[in-house]
Amino acid sequence: MSVPITSETSQIRMNPPVFYFAAAFILIFGLVVIAMPQAAGEWLLAAQNWAANTVGWYYMLAMTLYLIFVIVTALSGYGKIKLGADHDEPEFSYLSWAGMLFAAGISITLFFFCVSEPLTHMLAPPQGPAGTSEAARQGMQLLFLHWGLHGWGVFAFVGMALAYFAYRHNLPLALRSALYPLIGKRINGPIGYAVDGFGIIATVFGLGADMGFGVLHLNSGLDYLFGLPHTQWVQVGLITLMMGAAILVAIAGVDKGVRVMSDINMLLACALLLFVLFAGPTQHLLNTLVQNIGDYLGALPTKSFDVYAYDKPSDWLGGWTVFYWAWWIAWSPFVGLFIARISRGRTIREFVFGVLLIPLGFTLAWMSIFGNSAIDQVLNHGMVALGQSAIDDPSRTLYLLLETYPWSRTVIAVTVFISFVFFVTSADSGTVVLSTLSARGNNADEDGPKWLRVFWGAMTALVTSALLFSGSIDALKSAVVLTSLPFSLILLLMMWGLHKAFYLESQKQIAQMHSLAPVSHSRRGGWRQRLSQAVHFPSRDEVYRFMDTTVRPAIEEVSAVFLEKGLNVVTQPDPANDNVSLEIGHGEEHPFIYQVQMRGYFTPSFARGGFGKKEQLRNRRYYRAEVHLAEGSQDYDLTGYTKEQIINDILDQYERHMQFLHLVR
């Protein structure tokens, strides 16, 4: 599964099979919908009803399976595996990492649904009488279900798969890499490219739905503030304007400015949440938050499988839960790639529980405070118009609620500004992710070409505009449900591949404990020489000479014998990066990789204490010739070994690798 460690990087370029497949499908779809908006809207609605009635049970089962898989994996022994090499450390502190996960949980759609959805569930519930306090309680339970653990479970799953195969096995940061344990090198063929293509298609439509809901919300806010007409052509203009701004940000690379604006936006969003909490019925909102969490957790097992099979048929399940599950699936490559990028060096356990719990806390608090504020206005203060707006024109509902608060016009203006920034930053991030998924030659920390960002930004704007013309909200939902269906099947295959990879990893760890030919620890000169070596902190020049005069000849000598035995051997001296490596191929089986890498460390203070000042400065760093296998550093130093001892160490590790291959056959 692993590939050789190498310092070479190829030129980043477009991946033709993936790009043309995804681009052709999206372009044809967009043009057909624009050419026949009414017919396309009817077809999409009919297709969504078919999907809800035919595969609604499948969406419910698949999403629950994704969530169970990541939780069980995190709690098992696999949870100790690092998303990276064994010696990798997290790039970000816990606080910074938590802050970025927190930011990943906020989208413009939180503004669209936080008020309209719970009111709709209360006034048009799937079960029971409408407009009652029990219907309101059920509505908040359903709201938490749709925005809760299931969605973040699929994000955690995709992020875990991307990070594991990219950072631990040096495979491309692409969806197809998760199928390597199943199909091997064929991931770089038609099957693998089709997987990436379907991932891009799902992401474009998921992003398009987000943009669609966002532009409806923004249009209503601008209508309230400035009287901007609430029409489809105005919405197309807003999409063009904001997507254009996002593309400019993406290609200009003004990351620092966007990051500062995003940080300010996050503070404003938190301030808005606290304003609604303390300017409204604070005690009631805190009580309902606690009760909502309890209701959600108590009903989670049953609601995860509730397809209303014993109720008379309706389109509620397809319009809500099935749509949400499809939407989360469609967004999973986008958010998964983001959280994978910031999580290198984390263990699977801390990654999974961080992703599941950190953004979830804020999301549920947001939904509960805004949702219960609206329910209180309708049930206890007679705001019938607010409830009716949730059904007839959900994009206006949040603004009608904010009208009941002090300084309403200023608060609404701030809300519109926050929504605009969220729109631009989400679109910007989305175009970068799409360019990465449709490129090749980039390492795990590089983005795709800028022209691809422009192209995918234009495609997303086209899809969003087309769907708004063909039926507004219903068309957005229908397209997401349909395009996510094939990708949801791919996620199940990725789950199988990831499970197989974890099993192989566990077997390799068992094999590492079975040393068939342990290396002798005696050194030249006996124990005195060994003791001197233990307290010696060699300079870079010393270790470099050792690598050149002892390590490299040992590896070359072993390579020559392996070649005589007919094995596929590759040696990779890399003086620029102070390492030399040996790879032995075994056909379709996992290759054996043995690399000796020179690494520098700060010399311990006790070892510098006896030197003069000049000597202290010169020896502030010392170096080791560390052994690296495919999984990363093995944390032991070869410096001082003889050539014969190094050869024995290579053979020891090779025999362990053969034991691993024996265990997994």
Side-chain angles (χ1 to χ4, degrees):
M1 190 188 327
S2 303
V3 296
I5 305 170
T6 174
S7 63
E8 296 179 5
T9 56
S10 56
Q11 184 181 4
I12 306 173
R13 57 192 184 279
M14 179 258 287
N15 192 343
V18 175
F19 175 80
Y20 289 125
F21 168 62
F25 179 91
I26 294 166
L27 187 60
I28 292 171
F29 179 92
L31 294 177
V32 168
V33 173
I34 289 174
M36 300 181 294
Q38 185 174 355
E42 294 172 356
W43 178 82
L44 285 170
L45 188 58
Q48 183 191 9
N49 290 333
W50 169 86
N53 295 328
T54 307
V55 295
W57 63 270
Y58 161 75
Y59 269 112
M60 300 290 287
L61 198 60
M63 283 293 287
T64 303
L65 190 58
Y66 304 144
L67 177 60
I68 292 173
F69 178 82
V70 296
I71 292 177
V72 169
T73 299
L75 293 175
S76 71
Y78 300 144
K80 299 178 182 178
I81 297 173
K82 276 195 175 183
L83 297 174
D86 289 337
H87 61 279
D88 279 347
E89 294 297 328
E91 181 181 358
F92 304 101
S93 67
Y94 274 109
L95 188 61
S96 298
W97 184 62
M100 286 184 280
L101 290 178
F102 173 76
I106 297 184
S107 163
I108 192 173
T109 48
L110 286 179
F111 294 84
F112 188 95
F113 287 104
C114 65
V115 173
S116 62
E117 183 178 346
L119 289 177
T120 302
H121 294 332
M122 182 183 73
L123 298 174
Q127 294 173 316
T132 64
S133 58
E134 188 57 35
R137 186 174 178 180
Q138 180 188 205
M140 291 305 301
Q141 190 181 83
L142 291 169
L143 181 69
F144 273 39
L145 175 71
H146 294 157
W147 291 87
L149 287 169
H150 284 80
W152 285 100
V154 72
F155 286 173
F157 166 65
V158 174
M160 178 172 64
L162 287 169
Y164 176 80
F165 287 103
Y167 300 141
R168 191 160 182 85
H169 294 289
N170 300 310
L171 289 168
L173 188 67
L175 299 166
R176 67 182 185 273
S177 295
L179 301 187
Y180 191 94
L182 305 180
I183 62 175
K185 295 180 180 179
R186 284 176 291 174
I187 62 168
N188 294 317
I191 297 175
Y193 295 145
V195 166
D196 285 347
F198 279 117
I200 289 173
I201 291 169
T203 302
V204 167
F205 281 89
L207 192 61
D210 185 79
M211 300 297 102
F213 290 125
V215 79
L216 291 172
H217 168 76
L218 280 170
N219 194 172
S220 293
L222 294 172
D223 184 15
Y224 180 90
L225 292 173
F226 308 112
L228 187 68
H230 204 274
T231 66
Q232 289 176 327
W233 284 111
V234 169
Q235 291 157 14
V236 170
L238 288 173
I239 292 170
T240 304
L241 175 65
M242 289 184 290
M243 187 59 78
I247 290 172
L248 286 176
V249 169
I251 63 176
V254 289
D255 295 337
K256 186 175 181 181
V258 173
R259 192 175 297 115
V260 170
M261 184 176 289
S262 298
D263 291 343
I264 295 172
N265 214 39
M266 291 291 296
L267 293 175
L268 289 174
C270 292
L272 178 63
L273 179 66
L274 294 174
F275 172 77
V276 173
L277 172 63
F278 291 110
T282 307
Q283 189 65 38
H284 173 70
L285 294 178
L286 293 174
N287 287 336
T288 52
L289 173 59
V290 173
Q291 184 159 332
N292 292 156
I293 292 173
D295 288 344
Y296 167 60
L297 294 177
L300 184 61
T302 55
K303 282 298 180 183
S304 297
F305 301 96
D306 192 354
V307 293
Y308 306 99
Y310 292 96
D311 297 315
K312 59 182 180 180
S314 74
D315 58 358
W316 187 93
L317 185 69
W320 287 104
T321 306
V322 172
F323 157 69
Y324 266 111
W325 290 173
W327 196 12
W328 286 105
I329 289 170
W331 261 69
S332 61
F334 171 32
V335 180
L337 183 64
F338 170 75
I339 59 179
R341 283 275 187 87
I342 64 173
S343 302
R344 184 170 192 161
R346 302 277 172 197
T347 65
I348 286 176
R349 183 169 298 135
E350 62 183 327
F351 173 84
V352 167
F353 288 115
V355 171
L356 286 182
L357 300 179
I358 293 172
L360 183 70
F362 177 83
T363 302
L364 296 187
W366 180 281
M367 290 297 186
S368 180
I369 290 170
F370 278 93
N372 284 299
S373 297
I375 288 171
D376 177 65
Q377 290 290 338
V378 174
L379 285 183
N380 301 324
H381 296 87
M383 280 198 65
V384 178
L386 179 62
Q388 194 61 39
S389 171
I391 296 175
D392 296 337
D393 189 4
S395 64
R396 297 179 61 89
T397 313
L398 174 60
Y399 301 115
L400 293 179
L401 172 66
L402 294 177
E403 268 190 339
T404 65
Y405 282 79
W407 313 300
S408 60
R409 193 168 183 85
T410 300
V411 172
I412 290 173
V414 171
T415 303
V416 171
F417 173 77
I418 296 171
S419 303
F420 173 78
V421 176
F422 278 141
F423 188 109
V424 172
T425 53
S426 294
D428 165 41
S429 303
T431 58
V432 172
V433 168
L434 288 167
S435 71
T436 301
L437 292 175
S438 56
R440 65 181 179 186
N442 52 320
N443 63 39
D445 299 315
E446 293 178 312
D447 298 319
K450 291 182 179 179
W451 73 267
L452 278 176
R453 305 177 200 180
V454 177
F455 177 84
W456 289 121
M459 286 295 99
T460 305
L462 174 68
V463 166
T464 306
S465 302
L467 291 174
L468 287 175
F469 266 88
S470 64
S472 193
I473 293 176
D474 289 335
L476 291 169
K477 290 183 175 182
S478 301
V480 170
V481 170
L482 294 175
T483 54
S484 294
L485 186 58
F487 187 62
S488 67
L489 296 170
I490 291 171
L491 290 184
L492 294 177
L493 292 175
M494 290 171 61
M495 186 185 302
W496 182 16
L498 198 56
H499 173 72
K500 187 173 181 180
F502 289 157
Y503 170 75
L504 294 177
E505 179 121 14
S506 67
Q507 294 304 302
K508 192 156 193 176
Q509 290 174 357
I510 293 173
Q512 290 291 339
M513 293 186 289
H514 292 78
S515 177
L516 303 181
V519 67
S520 170
H521 288 291
S522 61
R523 309 282 181 95
R524 262 183 320 200
W527 67 269
R528 294 180 183 276
Q529 176 65 25
R530 183 177 172 186
L531 177 60
S532 298
Q533 193 68 38
V535 297
H536 179 55
F537 296 89
S539 67
R540 186 182 187 282
D541 290 342
E542 288 179 77
V543 178
Y544 188 87
R545 285 194 300 271
F546 172 73
M547 295 271 290
D548 191 51
T549 60
T550 307
V551 175
R552 188 167 286 107
I555 288 180
E556 290 172 351
E557 190 168 324
V558 171
S559 300
V561 177
F562 275 120
L563 283 171
E564 290 175 6
K565 301 296 183 183
L567 293 172
N568 180 24
V569 179
V570 178
T571 56
Q572 294 182 328
D574 190 358
N577 288 297
D578 301 325
N579 67 66
V580 58
S581 63
L582 165 69
E583 178 192 354
I584 302 173
H586 299 94
E588 292 297 319
E589 302 291 345
H590 301 267
F592 169 70
I593 297 173
Y594 184 96
Q595 182 185 80
V596 183
Q597 187 174 102
M598 188 165 70
R599 300 186 67 189
Y601 298 89
F602 285 107
T603 305
S605 57
F606 70 84
R608 298 196 302 265
F611 299 136
K613 185 174 182 180
K614 182 177 180 181
E615 192 72 5
Q616 287 184 41
L617 294 174
R618 190 168 65 84
N619 289 292
R620 286 183 59 166
R621 289 179 68 82
Y622 74 101
Y623 289 79
R624 288 159 48 102
E626 291 188 358
V627 174
H628 287 236
L629 302 180
E631 297 76 32
S633 174
Q634 301 304 293
D635 292 323
Y636 67 90
D637 180 22
L638 293 181
T639 307
Y641 277 48
T642 65
K643 185 174 75 171
E644 290 73 20
Q645 288 172 333
I646 293 172
I647 291 174
N648 281 332
D649 189 60
I650 295 171
L651 295 179
D652 185 32
Q653 295 291 3
Y654 181 71
E655 287 174 333
R656 291 179 181 180
H657 183 77
M658 295 302 291
Q659 175 72 2
F660 160 66
L661 295 182
H662 163 73
L663 290 173
V664 301
R665 292 190 68 83

